[in-house]
Amino acid sequence: MAKTSAKSRTAYVCTECGADHSKWQGQCADCGAWNSLSEIVLESAAAVSAPAARRSGWAGKAEAPKITALKDVRHSEEARVSTGIGEFDRVLGGGLVEGAVVLVGGDPGIGKSTLLLQALARMSASLPALYVTGEESLAQVAGRAVRLDLPLDNLQALAETGIENILHHASVAKPKLIVADSVQTLWTESLTAAPGSVSQVRESAARLVRYAKETGTAVFLVGHVTKEGGIAGPRVLEHMVDAVLYFEGESGSRFRVLRAFKNRFGAVNELGVFAMGEKGLKEVPNPSAIFLSGSAQQPGSCVMVTREGTRPLLVEVQALVDSSPLSNPRRVAVGLEQNRLAMLLAVLHRHGGVVVGDQDVFVNVVGGIRVQETAADLPVLLAVLSSLRDRPLAEKTIAFGEVGLSGEIRPVPNGEERLREAATHGFKRAIVPKGNAPKSGTFKGLEVVAVERLSQALEAAAE
Ligand code: TYD
Ligand code: MG
């Protein structure tokens, strides 16, 4: 059935950044990665990922597009459907949008299939839903669903990996919601490349995206993550879909964090927190508590208020500073950016007069979450200092603030919201940038210490 058309041509796609190249080369000209180009076969000369609706327009069937004043364009709020799981809705930006294609990535065994099966079963009560499994048998999927006590009456399932067959079944059954688990197992007859190869994954996903846009069907694509953290080579999938969610968690911990990495319909970096248990994933609607170690204040620990996405979160940062046997002491950051740590330590030396040049410095964010915002700067330095001096910070203290290269403490967005979160959880003292502090010096029972310079912050922490 596969037509090996004379028109088919090859291209080279960078598996790191998804850039296209017409010729093979040792280094990607876009992102600079070495040996990352992989040959893909394009089905035809037409662009693979261009939405088909648009192409049929160009073919002359519909009118050619014309320039329109934006104010005259008719639009409506996207209709959203709840997944039945509050934390999942939050990460999606308030529910699933009709026709949206959402890529859910994560390590094998993290709980992607579980989460999507739970969500799909709940949504199937109001929307026709189809679960396409390419990894597990139907019996395995059904067994899990029964064990999790999910409502199964309206949930259709299909064990299939060929994209032509999947789309055929979908066009007959007309689900409004499809889960494809996983995208790495999908393949199309129109390419000769092996299933799982970059070109197969890319083309199959592109077909599903096109189908979703043409029919208004929402599609979840499940993708495994490689050791480097990308979704199994083809980063190119990230460009094609509307939202990319990563499911993360520490092995050994039952907590899982779903993070929006890209979202056309909501805030990026939004976090949803879940706990894996006997009955699948349960949402953790008030996650601040789980990222605190809960024990008495220890040296090397500082609680910060981070704001990832749209809500504040209390997170503990731990540091261990120890004299190093190495001539080039180690700086290791888990859950934070490594280079930022090196920079902060330089500021601590230059503007705080604290020497750590002969010490190994390890910094860890408790609970396996990753903090990307600069509000973590000050708490990291306070934790480092506390470990170096072997003196805990005062009980019930929080901190946040960006540290500049000249030793100034800069305000961060949404200061008041962060202070409120700390006050709600019974914290007594906050060391924060002057720009974020209320004039009165207190906030709902929280003593707020406003600092402008790193040296002031270090003094306040030593009290
Ligand atoms: P799964 O959803 O299969 O992961 P993925 O699709 O991301 O590979 O999750 C599998 C893991 O979750 C497995 O290690 C067992 C665990 N698990 C539970 O602890 N409780 C449960 O109720 C379920 C369904 C799975
Ligand atoms: Mg799975």
Side-chain angles (χ1 to χ4, degrees):
M1 191 173 155
K3 256 202 310 187
T4 39
S5 78
K7 270 194 217 152
S8 75
R9 62 184 180 105
T10 58
Y12 297 86
V13 61
C14 173
T15 54
E16 297 294 325
C17 70
D20 277 319
H21 302 274
S22 57
K23 282 204 290 270
W24 190 87
Q25 53 208 41
Q27 186 182 21
C28 173
D30 272 39
C31 70
W34 288 95
N35 286 329
S36 64
L37 295 203
S38 165
E39 182 176 9
I40 62 160
V41 183
L42 299 177
E43 187 197 352
S44 68
V48 167
S49 54
R54 171 120 185 247
R55 265 195 266 151
S56 64
W58 281 109
K61 207 165 65 191
E63 276 178 35
K66 56 178 190 289
I67 294 175
T68 315
L70 214 45
K71 69 176 172 51
D72 299 332
V73 178
R74 279 203 299 143
H75 65 97
S76 56
E77 266 300 287
E78 304 102 9
R80 291 187 186 259
V81 190
S82 167
T83 58
I85 305 175
E87 290 290 289
F88 200 2
D89 285 349
R90 160 187 287 280
V91 179
L92 287 168
L96 184 62
V97 173
E98 186 174 290
V101 182
V102 179
L103 179 62
V104 180
D107 290 327
I110 197 85
K112 301 179 295 295
S113 306
T114 307
L115 177 70
L116 289 173
L117 189 62
Q118 285 181 265
L120 205 64
R122 296 201 189 151
M123 295 170 89
S124 68
S126 55
L127 286 176
L130 176 64
Y131 187 94
V132 180
T133 170
E135 294 193 345
E136 294 165 299
S137 68
L138 286 181
Q140 282 173 309
V141 175
R144 174 183 298 172
V146 168
R147 207 163 47 75
L148 298 179
D149 289 334
L150 296 175
L152 292 183
D153 297 345
N154 299 317
L155 189 55
Q156 310 281 332
L158 174 67
E160 174 63 72
T161 54
I163 193 73
E164 283 79 10
N165 288 341
I166 293 172
L167 293 182
H168 168 72
H169 285 294
S171 64
V172 174
K174 297 200 170 37
K176 293 303 284 174
L177 199 60
I178 299 179
V179 169
D181 187 2
S182 67
V183 70
Q184 274 91 20
T185 60
L186 299 180
W187 64 284
T188 164
E189 291 168 359
S190 60
L191 299 181
T192 48
S197 63
V198 177
S199 48
Q200 284 286 7
V201 173
R202 174 172 144 138
E203 175 62 17
S204 309
R207 295 272 190 99
L208 267 174
V209 171
R210 209 176 299 158
Y211 177 83
K213 299 301 168 197
E214 279 170 359
T215 59
T217 311
V219 175
F220 285 107
L221 299 172
V222 175
H224 295 298
V225 160
T226 57
K227 275 194 234 86
E228 292 78 36
I231 293 183
R235 289 294 296 267
V236 65
L237 291 187
E238 294 174 357
H239 306 298
M240 291 198 271
V241 299
D242 296 308
V244 180
L245 313 181
Y246 278 98
F247 212 19
E248 304 165 339
E250 272 180 359
S251 55
S253 155
R254 62 193 192 93
F255 294 110
R256 305 275 186 270
V257 175
L258 187 67
R259 178 194 290 272
F261 174 79
K262 156 182 173 176
N263 193 351
R264 286 186 185 144
F265 308 114
V268 289
N269 281 342
E270 189 72 81
L271 297 184
V273 184
F274 300 87
M276 179 66 95
E278 294 269 287
K279 290 277 173 204
L281 288 157
K282 282 225 162 52
E283 46 184 315
V284 181
N286 180 9
S288 275
I290 65 168
F291 297 117
L292 306 178
S293 63
S295 52
Q297 193 70 26
Q298 298 289 332
S301 153
C302 180
V303 177
M304 67 163 173
V305 194
T306 167
R307 191 174 180 282
E308 301 279 331
T310 60
R311 78 176 150 189
L313 202 60
L314 292 166
V315 182
E316 181 181 339
V317 187
Q318 293 180 328
L320 178 68
V321 180
D322 194 20
S323 58
S324 177
L326 306 171
S327 57
N328 208 350
R330 286 193 285 178
R331 275 86 182 83
V332 179
V334 181
L336 291 160
E337 209 199 320
Q338 195 93 6
N339 289 337
R340 188 120 196 131
L341 175 63
M343 187 195 92
L344 289 172
L345 294 177
V347 178
L348 186 63
H349 177 214
R350 185 73 162 65
H351 296 284
V354 179
V355 183
V356 286
D358 53 352
Q359 309 276 332
D360 284 331
V361 179
F362 304 91
V363 177
N364 176 38
V365 180
V366 174
I369 82 159
R370 217 173 290 157
V371 176
Q372 283 163 350
E373 56 158 14
T374 53
D377 292 355
L378 182 58
V380 165
L381 287 186
L382 295 185
V384 166
L385 187 73
S386 163
S387 174
L388 181 71
R389 301 260 192 272
D390 201 23
R391 269 185 53 188
L393 291 172
E395 288 282 336
K396 298 281 172 203
T397 300
I398 63 110
F400 59 82
E402 177 175 334
V403 175
L405 283 184
S406 50
E408 80 277 20
I409 308 290
R410 298 215 195 114
V412 294
N414 305 86
E416 193 176 316
E417 209 182 311
R418 295 178 203 249
L419 290 173
R420 189 174 306 120
E421 180 76 0
T424 310
H425 284 84
F427 282 82
K428 296 288 173 236
R429 195 159 186 264
I431 303 174
V432 307
K434 187 147 185 278
N436 288 126
K439 292 216 168 50
S440 65
T442 59
F443 186 91
K444 296 184 190 298
L446 190 67
E447 179 203 349
V448 183
V449 185
V451 292
E452 277 182 297
R453 309 274 321 156
L454 180 62
S455 51
Q456 289 175 319
L458 299 184
E459 266 170 42
E463 278 171 20

